Amino acid sequence: MAILSTILLVALTRAEIIDRFKAAPVTQLDGLVQVYGDCPADMRREYQLPVASFTSDICRKLYAAERKRQVKFADPGIIIRIGDVRTNITDVIARPATRDGGAKFTRIYLPSPSGADLGKLRHEVVRAFYRAVDGVNLDDTGVTRKLRESDPVTRVEDIQAEVAAWRERGEYAEGKTDDDYLKMLRGVHLPGVATKADVSTFASRLFLYPELYAMPFCGKYAACSFREAVPLAKEDPLVRLAAYQKIQSLMLFGSGHGDKMNEAVEAYAKFLLELARFKLSGEELLNLLDSADTKLKGVLEEE
């Protein structure tokens, strides 16, 4: 690579060499990211700022995922140079280094900015970020984990997979307890969005239970579905009490997942409130429940 660079440099005119040396870098994110253009002016205009923005966006997400405040850098922690190759070479070449004072930084070279492997670049930026900000060297597994944690969608997927492993197979991540998983179940991990797991978790809550295990509904039912509760509420006032107490729980589990989910939650809350009052006919109550069920089924449907 060094020999090739020398050959290319010799092939340039004196004016072109001076132009490249004088070209200013794009610096972003309080000095953490710096992008140089070892290429003609038109390529710098086309790629220098987008590469800097791409890198900075990744770092911002990492800061947010770690709940860290941005650090000011007198010297950049991630130095990217873009080459002048216009064909689609996918190479992303990363070189970790350490300054005299002990600060770690990383040089990344993109011979062809138009053809660079963005997945590889993304991983090298994550690795470089943690070297510069935390002074740690991540292996490939650690980079992948941090990258997934920084993206809201993949972070939620991992959380829900972990909760599913606990619920379905009794598996516990190191250091976590049942209380931790119950908090994860109640949490809104992707505000304004209802995932399939969110809807399934909410649907699993659509049952009524007596306040005391020793006092089953109608003297014999340890639980009942909302639909089963309609005729039972006429016989046992404890069913109506359980319906009223259930409203707060459903609001806790269902809110914060977008408009469609909120409409379904409100529909179930209305049904439960009317079931607790028990002033409507059984048919009217079932119509309210049917409406709520329809709204819940429509939460995951694309518009």
Side-chain angles (χ1 to χ4, degrees):
M1 181 61 70
I3 295 175
L4 177 60
S5 298
T6 302
I7 294 173
L8 292 174
L9 191 62
V10 171
L12 297 174
T13 66
R14 184 172 182 276
E16 289 171 331
I17 293 172
I18 293 173
D19 175 67
R20 293 192 185 188
F21 274 111
K22 290 177 64 177
V26 172
T27 303
Q28 293 187 350
L29 215 60
D30 289 332
L32 170 61
V33 175
Q34 202 163 74
V35 179
Y36 290 84
D38 289 335
C39 53
D42 64 320
M43 290 185 71
R44 292 198 299 270
R45 287 193 296 270
E46 185 174 0
Y47 295 111
Q48 205 171 359
L49 183 57
V51 169
S53 298
F54 177 82
T55 304
S56 297
D57 286 345
I58 294 170
C59 294
R60 286 190 187 91
K61 290 180 180 179
L62 294 171
Y63 271 131
E66 297 288 353
R67 296 179 180 174
K68 288 179 178 290
R69 298 185 66 177
Q70 290 182 195
V71 179
K72 289 191 175 182
F73 284 80
D75 299 302
I78 304 173
I79 302 172
I80 299 179
R81 291 185 176 273
I82 56 177
D84 58 4
V85 179
R86 297 180 186 271
T87 55
N88 290 332
I89 296 177
T90 62
D91 293 355
V92 176
I93 303 163
R95 295 286 183 265
T98 304
R99 293 191 171 89
D100 292 340
K104 295 182 178 181
F105 69 104
T106 304
R107 295 187 179 95
I108 300 175
Y109 181 54
L110 309 177
S112 170
S114 63
D117 183 334
L118 293 184
K120 173 69 172 174
L121 176 57
R122 189 177 288 108
H123 275 71
E124 292 302 341
V125 169
V126 172
R127 201 187 312 272
F129 173 89
Y130 282 97
R131 291 191 79 254
V133 175
D134 289 343
V136 298
N137 297 310
L138 296 179
D139 59 15
D140 290 341
T141 300
V143 168
T144 299
R145 184 178 69 252
K146 293 296 186 182
L147 193 56
R148 290 184 66 82
E149 289 174 355
S150 71
D151 182 89
V153 175
T154 54
R155 185 183 73 246
V156 170
E157 289 175 354
D158 291 344
I159 289 172
Q160 292 177 340
E162 186 180 335
V163 171
W166 168 72
R167 291 179 63 181
E168 297 167 10
R169 300 186 295 276
E171 296 177 5
Y172 290 78
E174 185 177 354
K176 285 189 177 163
T177 66
D178 289 332
D179 285 342
D180 293 322
Y181 284 107
L182 288 172
K183 288 178 182 177
M184 290 166 70
L185 270 176
R186 293 192 294 267
V188 178
H189 305 292
L190 194 59
V193 176
T195 65
K196 186 176 180 180
D198 291 330
V199 175
S200 296
T201 297
F202 180 80
S204 71
R205 314 295 297 182
L206 303 181
F207 291 87
L208 297 180
Y209 300 91
E211 191 169 12
L212 298 175
Y213 182 77
M215 298 178 63
F217 296 139
C218 300
K220 55 183 177 180
Y221 299 110
C224 67
S225 67
F226 285 3
R227 197 164 296 276
E228 293 168 337
V230 173
L232 294 181
K234 185 176 181 180
E235 302 178 36
D236 191 343
L238 291 179
V239 175
R240 302 199 293 274
L241 176 62
Y244 182 75
Q245 293 173 333
K246 190 71 175 183
I247 295 174
Q248 184 176 5
S249 173
L250 287 194
M251 297 296 287
L252 181 65
F253 272 89
S255 298
H257 298 289
D259 293 341
K260 283 188 174 182
M261 189 68 171
N262 288 341
E263 290 176 6
V265 174
E266 291 170 4
Y268 280 112
K270 181 178 181 180
F271 161 75
L272 290 171
L273 184 60
E274 292 300 337
L275 181 63
R277 290 173 175 167
F278 210 72
K279 293 183 178 180
L280 300 180
S281 67
E283 183 179 356
E284 289 172 317
L285 289 170
L286 289 174
N287 286 338
L288 288 177
L289 182 57
D290 289 339
S291 175
D293 287 344
T294 299
K295 290 181 184 298
L296 185 62
K297 290 176 182 177
V299 169
L300 297 178
E301 293 179 356
E302 294 186 5
E303 305 202 357

